[in-house]
Structure formats: structure tokens, C-alpha cells
DNA sequence: GTGAAAGCGCTAACAG
DNA sequence: CTGTTAGCGCTTTCAC
């Protein structure tokens, strides 16, 4: 180790690099100076081999969700993770784990190649990696679908609260027959946003039977809207569980010669450009996606460093009012 | 190394793991069996320390492009990289490198922490990391802006050809006064798409003075369209250098009481949902984004393994015809 | 507070 | 073809 040419031993240099408290100040300065001068960069491999810590965090992305990236929300979450980690000594290792290789992923994770993992999936309820949580620090994006897996650490957005806010907003603007296009009922966001809609209607004493299920795609939103209108009952408000489905619903509403917000006020959830570029611009619920990712990274790092952390972190949402719910 | 309990030496196990050709078949079988039985996973750190190869590839993302992820094109490129790498033993390490830390990134890359790097940026012409190419295998996404940096390896989409195809398509549908909203003229895609538009018009002997520059955002597209219309000259065709700007132009065209494609046929570039969700749906040029990423990974891996590769790889585009250019 | 010595788990010559 | 012998560059007891 050349830096030892700073007049000290390799061990001391190591201490300085690792910010050990028990090193004389003058020595620290001398070593740091030498490090800068020699352009020294510690070798990660050697370091982890000796310390038995890898400084690597895995980002597990179930491949069935190859579309993951095409969803701006997740892209943003991942960005948040990357940004948060950039301030630490941890490195991000993306694992696209297809179903056929999930066993391989599992072994890789347990093989001492990473210090912890972040699991992000469209099927965020899928905590099938939850069991690993006992052998390796893991943080999930999204609450588990099953209560039985509630032992895991996770960061989630408060879906129910957000949905309730959007619904109440529609009501406050005057809508009385508020329908919803819910997400898949086997995914927590699908369930929770429907529950939030119900909750808000209950508080107002409004009817909560006007709901159809979609799969978060624009097409499914259009179909669901078609089914809702086919019921022949009055509808003057719509809460779509995401902006994509709201966009799909838009086209059907227009097809039927109805206007937004004139005949039907519409609110979505996610705040992405499906909503912002729609005409009229869509009122929606904004999720702090990058912050969510950053929080996941933060929780994981604490977990790895054995600091105490909450098992559950819920991030709050924000209503973004736009033309689609004008009074 | 427990697997040595398969009756052979550590060295032999190593050979089997690394698929060395000179090992007796029966021995290979025995070792593999033991590996499976003992659930053995090689330690990456030890491996790279000994072999002096890290099996890590850096994905460098200049942070000035924090919006990088919000662009579906790049998200898809990154996905392609990740997918391609999943089939190899290489691991992806994302580096969000802010300007202030670019020196740190540089040192990290040269510090023996990675075997190679992929640089992806909005300012794809920025090959400021190009110099590193001499000490470390590097592949860039997008051609360099300066010819002087042409020594680097890069994978790019054939922007000029795509733009020409879109423009010729407008002409073939009957447009004779074809304008363009170009991208920034300090970015290769901005330059090349403008050049492609010019080229196509030249072949037809059409006027090529109708152009304005935008910055790839919808807002800039709207402003550019406003300026184009303000010229007071006839326009019956528009090629926007990306779908976002085309979307921006849409609103201005409609504001002016003009119809698409009735009065003006419009074509974009990128094929993302700005175009597919626009009304009428936008004819555009599709880029094989995921394949582009995959190709970058492939080229880099070959470079690392000292196989021969082309310095330049151009991927071809595809015209996606939609309502905005109906005859 | 600092140095010396002993590995971390694996690969890479070099002999056999 | 396979075993032996050395390290890879760093952290970490354990003395001093």
C-alpha cells in the first residue's frame, strides 16, 4: 500500500480511511494528504473480503414486471434510491430476477454478495422474498398483501388516505354520484385505493356501489368506464385508481358526448403525464415517488448498520388540483 | 472451501466453477454435485481480488440529467442493459454522478472497482468521459458531438435516417410545405434529425427553410409551433424531432383552429405515450430502445473480454403510422 | 495511539 | 488433468 509512504503503517491508513476515532489528528491529516497526493482509491474487493461486508445493496426487480421501467412512478422510485445511495458508501446492484431464475437470485442474495436488498415490484404485495428477511436486511416497496408477511420492513405511500382525499375533493366540488375504477384486487394499491374511495363516500353518506375493476392500463380504464356508463345510472364524478386508467376513461366519456368536468368530474392517482397531458388536465394525487425510494434506501442502510428503524413507513400524498374537477 | 469435500482440491473446484476445459468429466460432475448439495455460492469479493477482475459494469448517469428516468426512452435503454447483463456474470452498478462529484466518479472508475462502463446521458454528445476510454473499456449511448472524440465506442440510433423516413412519409402523403421543430443544436440527436429532415426535402426538391428549434419539451414544441405559424407561410406538414414537442405543437395547431391531419400532417420521433395518447394518435419513428441498451451491454462485454467489436453500431428505426398523417 | 501479523475466499502459476 | 504454493489489498485482533 503506497499510502504507507506517508510515514505510517498500513493498519493506520486503514483506520484513517475508515474514520476510526482513535488516531492522532496530525496523523490523520498526513495520511489524508498522502491519499490525495497519490490519488489512492481503496480496492472494494479487498475491503469487503477482509471486512466481510460488501457495501453492495441489491435492487431486486421481478422480471414479470419488465414493464416496470416504463412506469414513470417506478422509474422515479429507483432514481430516489440511487440518489440516496450516492451519498453513502453503498453501491446499487440491479437484479432483474425472472421467475425461472428466482432461485438463483435467492442464492445470490444469501451468498454473501450483498449487505441488503430492496425489493420493488408492480405486484408490490408479493413479498415472496420476505422469508429472506430473516437472513438478510430487506426493505420492500409497498405493503405486503398478506398480513402473515407483516414481519417485513416496508415503505409505502398512504394509498387509502390519498384515494379518500381525491374522492372527498370530488364531493366537495359538488359531485354526488361518484364512481371509481379500481385497480386489481390482488394488489395492495388496488385494494387500498378502493377502500379509501369507500371510506370517503361513507363519511358523506353517499352511494358506494358504482365501481368497476381495471388493471391499471389505459385500455382497461376505457373498458371499465364503458361498463360503468352501461349501468344507466347517473354518474357525475369519477375517481380512477391511477392516471393511466383515467386517461382511458376520458376517451370513453368523450365518446359518449359527455364533458369533463361539466358532466363528470374526474380525479386520478399517481400524477404522471398521462394526467398532466390529458385534456382537460387531470386532478390527481401526487405520490412522493423519489422520496419513497430515498426512504427505502435510508431504512435499509439503517437496518444494515443495526440502527433502530420503524418496520412500517407510510409516506403521505398530495392533491394536485387541475381542470378536470373544476367546480 | 467446503466443496473440496467432494474429494478434490480447491483449485479443481475453482476450475469447475470457471468452466475450465481441462477437467475430467466425472470430476466436474462430482464437484457440481457437491456444489448443489452444499448450496455453495462463490464469494464475489474473493474472486475478484484474486482474479483482478470485478465482474462489475458501471452505468454512469450524469446527474444534470436527473430527469433521465422520467424519459421513457432512457428508462427502456437501461432496462435493455440490465436484461442483457442478466445473462452474463456481470453486475450493474449505477453511478449517478453529479457535476461536483464527477472527479470522484472518475476516480472510482479508474480505481479498479469496475471492469468497464456504459455512459448514458441526455447530452449524449458529451463524451467527457471519453478520455477514460484509454484506461477502461467504455461504451457510450449516442454518438459523440465532437469528431475529435470519435475514438470512443458507441451505440446509437440512426437519427438522420429515421428523420428522413418520417419526412418522406409526410411528403408521400401529399404534404408539400413541411416544417420541422428541431431539437437543441448542440446535441447530436437534435442535429441529426434536422439533417435527416433536410435530406428528405432535398431529394424531393422541397423548401427547407421552415424550421424552429425547441429543447425537446412539450412547452418548447408549442412555442416553436407558434413561431412557425407566425411566419404566415403555408404549412401542411410538420416533423417534430420528438413526440413531446409534437404534443406541444398539437395544442397550438388546435388553438389556431387548424386540424390534424386535415390541415397539417404531423410526425414525431421516439414513439412514447406522448404520441400514442395524443388525439389524433401521432405517427412517429420508433427507436429500438431496449435493444439499444442490450447492444451497448453486449459491445462492452466483448470489449472487456478483448474480443473484436465495431467502434460504431447504428440501430435502425421503424416508422409507426398513425392517424396524424392519414392521407 | 500505532505497528505486526494473520488471514478473508479465491485464482493463478507452477509442478507433477 | 490435478494438487501445491503463493499471494490479490485490505481489515483486524493483539501486543507494544
Amino acid at each position: 500500500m503506497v499510502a504507507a509512504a506517508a510515514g505510517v503503517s498500513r493498519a493506520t491508513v486503514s483506520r484513517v480511511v475508515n474514520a476510526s476515532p482513535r488516531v492522532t489528528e496530525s496523523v490523520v491529516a498526513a495520511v489524508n494528504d498522502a491519499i490525495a497526493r497519490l490519488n489512492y482509491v481503496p480496492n472494494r474487493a479487498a475491503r469487503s473480503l477482509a471486512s466481510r461486508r460488501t457495501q453492495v445493496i441489491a435492487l431486486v426487480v421481478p422480471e414479470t414486471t419488465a414493464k416496470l421501467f416504463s412506469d414513470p412512478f417506478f422509474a422515479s422510485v429507483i432514481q430516489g434510491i440511487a440518489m440516496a445511495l450516492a451519498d453513502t458508501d453503498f453501491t446499487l446492484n440491479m437484479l432483474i430476477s425472472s421467475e425461472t431464475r428466482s432461485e438463483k437470485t435467492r442464492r445470490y442474495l444469501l451468498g454473501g454478495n450483498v449487505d441488503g436488498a430492496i425489493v420493488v415490484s408492480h405486484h408490490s404485495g408479493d413479498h415472496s422474498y420476505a422469508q429472506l428477511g430473516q437472513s438478510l436486511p430487506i426493505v420492500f416497496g409497498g405493503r405486503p398483501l398478506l398480513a402473515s408477511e407483516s414481519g417485513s420492513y416496508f415503505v409505502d405511500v398512504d394509498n387509502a388516505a390519498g384515494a379518500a382525499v381525491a374522492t372527498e375533493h370530488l364531493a366537495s366540488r359538488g359531485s354526488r354520484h361518484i364512481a371509481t375504477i379500481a385497480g386489481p384486487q390482488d394488489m395492495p394499491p388496488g385494494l387500498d385505493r378502493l377502500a379509501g374511495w369507500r371510506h370517503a363516500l361513507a363519511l358523506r353518506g353517499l352511494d358506494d356501489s358504482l365501481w368497476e375493476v381495471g388493471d391499471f392500463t389505459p385500455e382497461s380504464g376505457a373498458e371499465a368506464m364503458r361498463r360503468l356508463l352501461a349501468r344507466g345510472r347517473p354518474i357525475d364524478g369519477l375517481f380512477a385508481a391511477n392516471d393511466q386508467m383515467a386517461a382511458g376513461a376520458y376517451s370513453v366519456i368523450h365518446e359518449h358526448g359527455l364533458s369533463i368536468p361539466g358532466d363528470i368530474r374526474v380525479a386520478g392517482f399517481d400524477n404522471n403525464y398521462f394526467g398532466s397531458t390529458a385534456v382537460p388536465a387531470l386532478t390527481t394525487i401526487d405520490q412522493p415517488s423519489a422520496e419513497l425510494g430515498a426512504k427505502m434506501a435510508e431504512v435499509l442502510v439503517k437496518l444494515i448498520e443495526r440502527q433502530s428503524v420503524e418496520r412500517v413507513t407510510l409516506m403521505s400524498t398530495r392533491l394536485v388540483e387541475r381542470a378536470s374537477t373544476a367546480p
Side-chain angles (χ1 to χ4, degrees), chain A:
Chain A
M1 192 197 277
V2 263
V8 296
S9 74
R10 299 149 38 89
T12 301
V13 173
S14 175
R15 291 190 182 100
V16 172
V17 170
N18 294 291
S20 162
R22 38 191 176 183
V23 185
T24 316
E25 256 187 63
S26 62
V27 176
V28 173
V31 172
N32 278 327
D33 179 63
I35 287 181
R37 212 150 18 85
L38 277 53
N39 230 315
Y40 166 75
V41 181
N43 178 303
R44 251 197 145 79
R47 224 219 265 235
S48 40
L49 185 55
S51 65
R52 321 187 59 47
R53 282 175 310 128
T54 65
Q55 295 296 95
V56 172
I57 284 177
L59 173 61
V60 181
V61 178
E63 192 197 13
T64 43
T65 53
K67 286 187 206 156
L68 188 82
F69 282 89
S70 63
D71 185 326
F73 170 69
F74 281 105
S76 180
V77 169
I78 294 175
Q79 184 195 179
I81 294 172
M83 301 278 279
L85 252 28
D87 292 333
T88 72
D89 272 332
F90 288 94
T91 249
L92 229 208
N93 185 178
M94 303 216 303
L95 298 184
I96 308 282
S97 103
S98 78
E99 296 202 326
T100 56
R101 276 180 305 212
S102 93
E103 191 44 44
K104 184 182 159 196
T105 301
R106 208 169 244 94
R107 279 179 32 180
Y108 180 79
L109 292 178
L110 293 181
N113 295 300
V114 301
D115 289 345
I118 291 178
V119 179
V120 164
S121 157
H122 251 136
H123 292 84
S124 56
D126 176 8
H127 283 207
S128 61
Y129 287 98
Q131 16 155 342
L132 297 186
Q134 304 183 322
S135 347
L136 185 80
I138 298 192
V139 173
F140 293 85
R143 76 164 175 88
L145 185 57
L146 306 173
S148 62
E149 286 165 340
S150 59
S152 37
Y153 286 77
F154 67 86
V155 177
D156 203 350
V157 77
D158 197 334
N159 287 297
V165 166
T167 306
E168 168 54 26
H169 173 68
L170 290 167
S172 75
R173 288 310 181 94
S175 296
R176 287 298 169 269
H177 307 283
I178 305 177
T180 189
I181 298 177
Q185 295 300 295
D186 56 351
M187 297 188 194
L191 288 167
D192 298 347
R193 293 175 192 178
L194 177 60
W197 169 78
R198 278 221 176 83
H199 183 66
L201 292 182
L203 289 181
R204 284 262 186 179
L206 297 175
D207 173 36
D208 69 352
S209 65
L210 284 168
W211 62 285
E212 287 288 342
V213 172
D215 63 6
F216 285 142
T217 63
E219 296 72 35
S220 74
E223 286 160 25
M225 190 68 224
R226 210 160 269 135
R227 292 197 299 275
L228 282 170
L229 291 173
R231 293 192 185 186
R233 294 178 37 206
I235 295 180
D236 59 4
L238 170 71
F239 164 60
N242 76 346
D243 288 3
Q244 273 94 320
M245 295 199 294
Y250 262 46
S251 58
V252 172
I253 292 174
H254 288 141
E255 272 175 20
H256 281 248
L258 297 170
S259 83
I260 301 171
D263 297 310
I264 303 184
R265 289 186 191 81
V266 183
F269 202 116
D270 275 1
N271 191 25
N272 57 39
Y273 19 79
F274 276 95
S276 58
T277 61
V279 182
L282 180 72
T283 287
T284 190
I285 296 296
D286 180 67
Q287 310 192 56
S289 39
E291 290 82 348
L292 221 166
K295 195 73 189 178
M296 290 176 61
E298 188 191 311
V299 170
L300 182 56
V301 169
K302 281 192 178 157
L303 222 46
I304 291 173
E305 291 173 347
R306 299 174 180 291
Q307 297 176 39
S308 64
V309 224
E310 296 291 336
R311 283 198 119 74
V312 178
T313 308
L314 278 191
M315 314 275 293
S316 56
T317 58
R318 189 174 56 87
L319 176 71
V320 179
E321 292 191 37
R322 290 200 280 243
S324 70
T325 55

